[in-house]
Amino acid sequence: MLLSRPFSRLVVIVCAITAGSLFAQTVSQPVPRQRPMAHNVIVPQSRHFGCIRTPGLIVEQVDANVDIIEQVATTTLDIVIRNGGGSQTEAELLIPVPSGAVVREFNYGGTSGVSRVEVLAADEARRIYNQIVSSMRDPALLEFADMHVIRTSVFPIQPGQSQKVRVGYESVLPRDVDRVDYVLPRSESLDYRVPWNVTVKMRAKRPISTVYSPSHPIDVRRAAENLIHVNIAKGAPVQPGAFRLSYLLENNGVNATLMAYPDDAVGGGYFLVLGGLPAHDADDGDAGIKRELTLVLDRSGSMNGEKIEQVREAAKQVIAGLGQGEAFNIITYSDTLTSFSARPVVKNAQTERDARAFLDAVQSNGGTNIHAALTEALTQAPTKDMLPLVLFLTDGMPTVGNTSEQAIRDLVAKSNPHNRRVFSFGVGADVNGQLLDKLSSASRGMATFVLPGEDVEVKVAQVYRGLKGPVLTNPKLASITDGSPRVGDVMPAEMDDLFEGGQFIVLGTYRGNAPLKFRLSGNYRGKDRTFDFTFPVDGATVANGFVPRLWASRKIGTLVDAIAQLGGTGTEIATNDPRMRELVDEIVRLGTKYGILTEYTAVLAREGVDFDDEVAIREEADRNFKGRVPARSGLASINQAKNGQDLRSQTCANMANEFWDANMNRVSVANVQQVCDLAFYRRGNRWVDSRVIQKEKEIKPSRTVLYGSDEFVTLVAKLATQNRAGAISLEGDVLLVIDGEPVLVKSGEDKAKDKSAEPVAVAPEEPGC
């Protein structure tokens, strides 16, 4: 298995070009012309493909500030270029941009007004890229072959110094009814590690319902109903791929939009439904939904000291955060139970004071009776017309009373008469991660793990903030059809409740080309309500390649969870269980097709693995499942629960195939590359399309295309029209399927890389989606 470690810097596209050899004209210049070229040409969005004239010239970072007003986006790039050489050099920039972009600003070192820039149309930009590829024998630029490009004038870079260059451009964004989409082009290559700090401010006349990025995890801050600030989340600026962002305007309560990807193999394609809530609070005449919150707190002997202190403070903050008129209860447990009240009480000044006194008196001692504590919490009499929530906290395994894992799971599945949502917290490394995950996922809740050294109070507060103001409870999204079902394989099968500022993302397959109709139903702010949506699918495009990949990730997560249930109580999974074979086969098939690897199927990334030998691959994956799934305590249990959560709820790209290993280190697979809507596997000096990887030994390319040839230029143009030009931007030879035929694109050079076959940790703070 080949895995990668992020680099702090990257030498990017820096090439020596003969003066006047590349550029012919701008889109606004009718007469072909040439001008002298700089020594170096830098494309900040592209991965490294060589340094000819000025070694040590690097792009240190890029700050992108985007201002979106309605459909008009102004993008300002501050690009920091470092000259590590011993003499002054000159450079100019090529910046891929969307069609129709207009340059608004160019300056360097605070100097402006004396330089000029021009926008080249896609055909001219592609001609330039092809000449560079022919000269440098590297196709990195070709993933931008379908885009226009900004070309700047020459600017100097002093030796040993960094030069900031600012380029600003304006573009009109595409709109689909109430959804507006923005794209900032960047390389999809896993070798690209230049940090991009992206901040976006979006304003509209109407309130903005929700914001979504299918490419990167984001932090969102709402300043007003129609003003939102977005930035790439901490740890994610080095994640590769174009930065994609969509915002959805508010419309009559819950609003939704659909993104579609065509696929004849499923009779239609794949869809993603994005839904958002109103930006404003409930109207005065709308009572809304109040919460009933039960805190179930472990006070066993192992909680002694700092942990119990943090739990007390977390509980006090949770109760303080409840609104007047909402209800709460507290249950503490060790080998015995103690309840604040026989049933939840309405919060007021007196009950809050009493609760604080109750918490101050809690002392840690004894064992851990999880079964009795959950039974008490789930069966207590409910408070009418409130959403019942349980915050359940433990730092260990059940040691007293009924300790059967299956019996504890059944409490939520079979003995939860009031449908309480369980949000579990595992404190430390001695918890049964898979049990806590199942308790929560089966009840529309979520499991959170507080690892050694982390603060319980902080983790509880983070989850509790997300439970503010229930807006839509018991939601259900159903397909409306007059005939046979047109929608299938919907992920998730059951939607979670939606709280203030929340959104929902539902993925699935569809059949046919007629518009899809959906009905969303549930308790909307205290009243039963339905919302009907009709979405055309004639705009389905392979540019939405993230849709089937996200669907596949969730599907794999669901299948992995099914295997975990076969090992239900930590016992060994039967070797001859036919269900096991079926589940493993499907996980391997989907993982191979979409380039999605897990801790169990990382064998697919190993150099030299024989994809033709399906039996050997399945047997190794089978052994991994059987060897790891039974783990029911320690970090090896927590990592499986976390990986399962991440897959089942994935909302944005995970191009590097990152996951948590058995020691809770974040690791990344390097030699499987997701490009456009395709996946490729490194096989020596060759990248092989996943659609033919299992026939690699026997397949004969229908033709071979050499880099820089006329046939190559034609091929680039063809792939650009299909939104797949990035498929031949990989370094080395590429075997891919074009119009049903296997085509080998040859670089003519050996550029195979020596990569480690062992897992390597990546930055632990890099977030998922």
Side-chain angles (χ1 to χ4, degrees):
M1 178 174 58
L2 301 182
L3 299 117
S4 66
R5 184 189 301 273
F7 307 107
S8 60
R9 294 180 178 175
L10 174 69
V11 180
V12 299
I13 302 180
V14 184
C15 61
I17 306 295
T18 303
S21 64
L22 287 184
F23 295 93
Q25 62 182 37
T26 71
V27 292
S28 59
Q29 178 66 35
V31 180
R33 62 183 175 82
Q34 294 184 345
R35 79 170 192 228
M37 283 293 299
H39 290 163
N40 303 293
V41 177
I42 299 176
V43 182
Q45 288 103 320
S46 185
R47 66 169 169 80
H48 159 61
F49 76 86
C51 177
I52 303 300
R53 186 68 60 87
T54 310
L57 196 64
I58 64 170
V59 172
E60 290 186 307
Q61 73 175 56
V62 180
D63 294 329
N65 294 286
V66 186
D67 191 359
I68 300 174
I69 302 177
E70 295 292 333
Q71 277 184 259
V72 179
T74 301
T75 302
T76 303
L77 303 178
D78 287 324
I79 305 159
V80 181
I81 303 169
R82 176 77 178 175
N83 180 5
S87 61
Q88 176 179 304
T89 189
E90 292 182 329
E92 61 184 76
L93 294 175
L94 297 181
I95 300 177
V97 294
S99 173
V102 178
V103 178
R104 292 302 184 201
E105 182 179 11
F106 170 56
N107 67 67
Y108 57 90
T111 302
S112 61
V114 298
S115 305
R116 65 187 176 89
V117 292
E118 51 196 355
V119 181
L120 305 176
D123 288 345
E124 177 64 12
R126 190 156 56 244
R127 186 186 68 79
I128 295 168
Y129 295 159
N130 284 327
Q131 283 195 322
I132 294 176
V133 168
S134 178
S135 172
M136 302 301 301
R137 312 298 295 176
D138 192 296
L141 282 173
L142 295 179
E143 59 184 313
F144 307 112
D146 59 339
M147 310 197 77
H148 290 207
V149 66
I150 293 175
R151 176 199 184 190
T152 73
S153 59
V154 178
F155 54 88
I157 308 174
Q158 301 301 320
Q161 296 185 18
S162 296
Q163 176 71 61
K164 178 183 286 189
V165 182
R166 170 169 289 184
V167 178
Y169 63 91
E170 189 175 277
S171 57
V172 178
L173 305 180
R175 180 169 179 168
D176 185 347
V177 191
D178 289 333
R179 189 189 80 240
V180 177
D181 301 323
Y182 172 83
V183 178
L184 179 61
R186 294 171 69 239
S187 175
E188 292 184 307
S189 171
L190 296 179
D191 292 333
Y192 185 79
R193 305 300 287 180
V194 173
W196 282 59
N197 301 305
V198 181
T199 59
V200 183
K201 180 170 68 174
M202 51 187 62
R203 291 169 284 179
K205 294 178 181 178
R206 290 162 52 190
I208 298 173
S209 173
T210 194
V211 177
Y212 169 60
S213 172
S215 63
H216 291 77
I218 56 175
D219 293 327
V220 179
R221 180 174 63 85
R222 183 182 291 276
E225 290 184 358
N226 63 342
L227 174 60
I228 290 182
H229 298 270
V230 176
N231 60 272
I232 292 183
K234 182 180 180 182
V238 295
Q239 291 187 10
F243 175 65
R244 299 178 182 273
L245 188 69
S246 298
Y247 75 83
L248 180 65
L249 296 171
E250 183 180 321
N251 186 13
N252 189 30
V254 179
N255 200 6
T257 184
L258 181 140
M259 306 175 193
Y261 173 92
D263 190 342
D264 292 338
V266 296
Y270 295 83
F271 70 84
L272 181 154
V273 174
L274 166 68
L277 303 174
H280 56 81
D281 295 333
D283 297 330
D284 293 337
D286 198 340
I289 302 173
K290 288 184 169 58
R291 297 167 295 176
E292 175 212 272
L293 184 67
T294 300
L295 290 156
V296 185
L297 309 177
D298 187 346
R299 57 173 171 82
S300 60
S302 57
M303 289 289 294
N304 190 40
E306 185 179 24
K307 284 194 286 188
I308 198 68
E309 292 295 333
Q310 291 178 355
V311 167
R312 285 197 194 98
E313 291 307 309
K316 291 176 182 179
Q317 288 189 23
V318 165
I319 294 170
L322 289 171
Q324 294 298 318
E326 294 188 307
F328 72 92
N329 199 2
I330 308 170
I331 300 171
T332 66
Y333 70 98
S334 56
D335 42 17
T336 60
L337 307 182
T338 303
S339 297
F340 171 71
S341 174
R343 60 178 296 168
V345 300
V346 174
K347 177 190 171 180
N348 55 41
Q350 184 59 52
T351 56
E352 183 176 358
R353 282 195 296 271
D354 292 345
R356 295 177 71 88
F358 175 85
L359 290 166
D360 286 338
V362 172
Q363 299 295 322
S364 58
N365 59 74
T368 307
N369 195 335
I370 290 177
H371 189 278
L374 268 178
T375 300
E376 181 72 12
L378 297 177
T379 58
Q380 62 182 332
T383 308
K384 186 178 180 181
D385 297 330
M386 291 192 186
L387 178 65
L389 307 172
V390 173
L391 300 190
F392 175 79
L393 187 146
T394 183
D395 78 333
M397 304 282 288
T399 59
V400 177
N402 190 338
T403 60
S404 164
E405 179 178 333
Q406 191 62 54
I408 295 171
R409 286 187 183 186
D410 286 345
L411 288 175
V412 170
K414 302 176 182 179
S415 304
N416 186 10
H418 311 298
N419 295 318
R420 284 187 162 91
R421 281 69 163 156
V422 179
F423 291 82
S424 58
F425 295 83
V427 181
D430 297 325
V431 298
N432 185 334
Q434 300 204 55
L435 171 61
L436 296 181
D437 180 43
K438 196 61 181 177
L439 291 176
S440 295
S441 63
S443 63
R444 283 194 163 110
M446 179 181 67
T448 299
F449 299 98
V450 187
L451 299 179
E454 294 182 331
D455 193 309
V456 178
E457 187 177 346
V458 171
K459 284 294 187 78
V460 172
Q462 288 173 347
V463 172
Y464 184 61
R465 280 196 297 270
L467 302 178
K468 178 183 177 183
V471 178
L472 183 67
T473 63
N474 299 311
K476 181 179 180 181
L477 186 69
S479 172
I480 304 173
T481 178
D482 297 329
S484 59
R486 295 187 53 214
V487 167
D489 277 323
V490 175
M491 302 284 158
E494 182 179 73
M495 292 174 58
D496 292 333
D497 302 312
L498 297 174
F499 298 81
E500 285 183 15
Q503 64 180 206
F504 64 87
I505 295 172
V506 176
L507 297 114
T509 62
Y510 69 89
R511 288 170 289 281
N513 298 313
L516 297 176
K517 297 181 179 181
F518 292 91
R519 174 166 293 159
L520 177 67
S521 60
N523 181 346
Y524 177 75
R525 288 180 165 166
K527 300 176 183 177
D528 289 339
R529 187 169 171 183
T530 61
F531 302 87
D532 289 347
F533 306 101
T534 299
F535 303 119
V537 294
D538 53 2
T541 171
V542 296
N544 291 336
F546 56 86
V547 173
R549 188 167 283 121
L550 289 176
W551 172 86
S553 293
R554 291 190 178 188
K555 183 72 171 180
I556 289 171
T558 302
L559 297 172
V560 169
D561 183 63
I563 289 178
Q565 305 322 306
L566 293 180
T569 58
T571 57
E572 184 176 345
I573 302 172
T575 303
N576 60 350
D577 191 327
R579 297 172 297 174
M580 183 70 177
R581 174 170 179 172
E582 181 180 53
L583 292 169
V584 172
D585 281 350
E586 185 63 4
I587 290 170
V588 170
R589 185 188 71 82
L590 289 172
T592 301
K593 178 178 179 179
Y594 293 102
I596 300 169
L597 275 62
T598 69
E599 59 177 310
Y600 314 104
T601 57
V603 57
L604 299 174
R606 183 185 304 146
E607 185 71 37
V609 65
D610 186 355
F611 280 87
D612 291 344
D613 193 346
E614 297 180 32
V615 173
I617 291 175
R618 182 180 67 246
E619 288 179 348
E620 180 159 353
D622 188 81
R623 286 194 298 272
N624 288 336
F625 277 111
K626 291 176 180 177
R628 300 176 190 178
V629 165
R632 283 304 190 267
S633 66
L635 293 178
S637 170
I638 295 174
N639 95 289
Q640 292 183 81
K642 280 284 295 173
N643 288 333
Q645 281 183 338
D646 291 347
L647 285 167
R648 296 193 308 271
S649 62
Q650 189 169 332
T651 60
C652 72
N654 180 16
M655 297 181 65
N657 275 301
E658 293 182 2
F659 54 83
W660 301 98
D661 70 8
N663 295 312
M664 285 301 291
N665 296 313
R666 198 77 169 149
V667 296
S668 171
V669 178
N671 65 335
V672 177
Q673 177 73 63
Q674 301 169 4
V675 181
C676 305
D677 63 328
L678 306 175
F680 292 85
Y681 292 80
R682 184 188 292 278
R683 312 288 284 166
N685 184 44
R686 176 182 294 185
W687 288 94
V688 181
D689 193 325
S690 67
R691 293 172 291 180
V692 294
I693 189 68
Q694 291 179 319
K695 300 178 181 178
E696 180 191 10
K697 289 182 178 179
E698 61 189 64
I699 202 164
K700 300 295 183 183
S702 61
R703 57 194 171 112
T704 299
V705 179
L706 296 179
Y707 281 5
S709 66
D710 291 342
E711 190 177 11
F712 180 81
V713 173
T714 303
L715 179 62
V716 171
K718 180 182 183 68
L719 290 172
T721 63
Q722 299 175 353
N723 290 299
R724 287 174 170 169
I728 52 174
S729 68
L730 298 168
E731 191 173 19
D733 297 345
V734 180
L735 177 63
L736 75 160
V737 178
I738 302 175
D739 296 335
E741 295 183 345
V743 176
L744 178 62
V745 181
K746 286 192 66 67
S747 66
E749 296 183 12
D750 183 8
K751 296 189 178 182
K753 296 183 179 180
D754 179 19
K755 292 180 179 283
S756 170
E758 296 300 322
V760 178
V762 299
E765 292 186 346
E766 291 198 9
C769 299

